[in-house]
Every structure is written in structure tokens, then in C-alpha cells.
Amino acid sequence: MKCTNPHIGRLITRYEFGALDESERAIFLDHLIECVYCHNEVYAMRPFMEVLREHRREARRRMVHEEASAPSPLAQSPPSPWFRRSLLVAASVLVVICLSLVAVYLMRLRSAPEMVTQPRDVRPESEIARTSPWSEMVIPKAPYQPPEQPGRLRGEGRGSPFQRAMAAYRQNDFAAAAQQLEAVTRLNPSHAPAYFYWGVSLLLADRSREAIFPLKRAIRLGNGTLREQSHYYLALAYLKTDRPRRALQELDEVVALDGTYRGAAERLRERVRQWLNRD
């Protein structure tokens, strides 16, 4: 397995040390959603980083304590041997941990086998539609029930950006809904329903490839029925972009969740399997 985008993946060390600016951090976090390799690397390095951060905090606490208890500059004496030894030990530990962390990362990077994947499909969606057996599949409109008493919750009232976007969705203006829901996610990056209906709107607007990212975010942020729906519609997006094996993985997730969409997922999964085994 390898990083899907080494240009972004090489930011991992700066990310762990908190050295990325806001724009770089946002780009790297989005990359972690797509790249299993970097996601695993971040969690693999977590024990090393916790030790490093703890030693750094301890060193800072000692320095603050020494400064607070030090006499005035006029009467200040040279640092005690104990203090100098403590600083040297802390600095040595930090150096060893940093070098070990870099060595482990480089060894894992060199020893990682090549990831065998299908080349990314960059065909225009119009061309995929002409060749894919799923091009004529009708995307069902995901149900949406507006709140019975809008305005009771902060940010979810009748005039909230989300509700205005969903008004366009209910009127089947999916292009406008997608545009407005994307804006909602920028205002509130943890708004799982906005990501979900943004993805569905893109699917219904025949922009299946674009729908994949928001649906993945909805899976990551959502739970319960919303997460189940997100897996199901992500499977539809993969089928529409002629990636049936990825669709099968999502349909398996839906069946495992054993919710409202299980029956539909099982039927669609059987169709996909029959098509893949047609030879």
C-alpha cells in the first residue's frame, strides 16, 4: 500500500508536529479521508508523538518553574548543575524520539509494497454513460422531512442556510441545492446532513463523480440512518461512475447495518454480482 498523493502525504511529519498552516492542515485532513496509507501512518505514529509531546510539556513546565523561582537578574547565579543536566537529558530524549520517528516512517515507506489498483477512471461522465451498464439506473430521491417546529434549534430555523438549500432540494432544483449545501458545509464542516444531501443532489443532477466526496464525508460524520443512507448512495455513485467492485463494498456495509435500506441493498448487490460474474 502506498500514499495516493505523495505530494500531500509528505506533509504528515509537519502535521504531527503542528507545523502546518490552516490551509495546509485542511488539505491534509481531506487527504486522510481518501488515503488509507496516511491514515494508518498517523495512528501508527501516535504513541511516539504522545511521548514526544509529554517530554516537551515536562521540559516547558521545568523551565517555567525555574524561571519563576529564579532570583532577580542582579542577583541571579549561573544555572545549577541539576538544571543543566535536566535540560541536556530532555534535549537528548527529544532528539532520540525525533530520529526514531523519522527512521520508522522512512523504513515503512521504503518497505511498503506497491499498491495494486485499477488506474483511476478519468473518462468524462458522458463517455461512462455510453459504456456503463448502470448508466440508465434511476437514482431515487432521498426522503427529507423538514422539522415540525423550525426555528427552535439554533442554525436550523426556517431561514437557516441549510433549510433554504433543502427548500431547493424539495422543489427538485438539485443544481441549486448542491451549490447551497456546499456553502453550508463550508460554514459548518461537521454538518453531516448537509454533506449527505449535497452528495445526493449531485447524483440527481448527473454529477456522480463529484458526489463521492460529500457522501464519504457524510459517512465519516454521520451515524444511524444517515450513515446507512450515505453508504447506499455512495454505492450508487460508484455504479454510476462504473466502479462496481467499490459499490459492492458499500452495499455490504449497508447490509451489515441491517437498517431501512437493507432490502434494497441486497437486491442491488445481487444484480452487481451477477453482472460481474456474467462470464
Side-chain angles (χ1 to χ4, degrees), residues 156-185:
E156 296 297 334
R158 190 188 305 274
S160 73
F162 178 71
Q163 289 300 332
R164 289 197 297 271
M166 293 311 296
Y169 178 85
R170 293 173 66 196
Q171 295 168 7
N172 297 332
D173 189 352
F174 302 120
Q179 183 178 9
Q180 294 178 46
L181 287 164
E182 180 181 6
V184 172
T185 63

Side-chain angles (χ1 to χ4, degrees), residues 152-264:
R152 297 292 296 275
L153 298 176
R154 182 181 177 184
E156 296 297 334
R158 190 188 305 274
S160 73
F162 178 71
Q163 289 300 332
R164 289 197 297 271
M166 293 311 296
Y169 178 85
R170 293 173 66 196
Q171 295 168 7
N172 297 332
D173 189 352
F174 302 120
Q179 183 178 9
Q180 294 178 46
L181 287 164
E182 180 181 6
V184 172
T185 63
R186 294 184 182 277
L187 293 171
N188 184 358
S190 61
H191 200 308
Y195 279 105
F196 170 69
Y197 285 106
W198 175 21
V200 174
S201 297
L202 290 169
L203 266 176
L204 293 169
D206 293 325
R207 294 159 61 185
S208 306
R209 185 178 289 143
E210 297 174 59
I212 292 173
F213 167 74
L215 290 170
K216 283 185 174 182
R217 289 287 291 176
I219 291 171
R220 184 178 179 87
L221 296 170
N223 51 47
T225 301
L226 182 66
R227 189 175 185 185
E228 179 196 14
Q229 288 177 304
S230 301
H231 277 295
Y232 183 75
Y233 278 88
L234 181 56
L236 299 182
Y238 280 136
L239 287 176
K240 280 289 192 177
T241 54
D242 203 17
R243 286 182 274 182
R245 297 189 186 279
R246 296 293 296 272
L248 276 180
Q249 296 174 5
E250 299 303 321
L251 293 171
D252 286 341
E253 292 287 343
V254 178
V255 173
L257 289 170
D258 194 20
T260 307
Y261 283 75
R262 175 172 180 170

Side-chain angles (χ1 to χ4, degrees), residues 136-153:
E136 301 301 323
M137 181 177 60
V138 177
I139 302 296
K141 182 179 179 181
Y144 172 72
Q145 182 64 39
E148 295 181 1
Q149 296 180 325
R152 297 292 296 275
L153 298 176

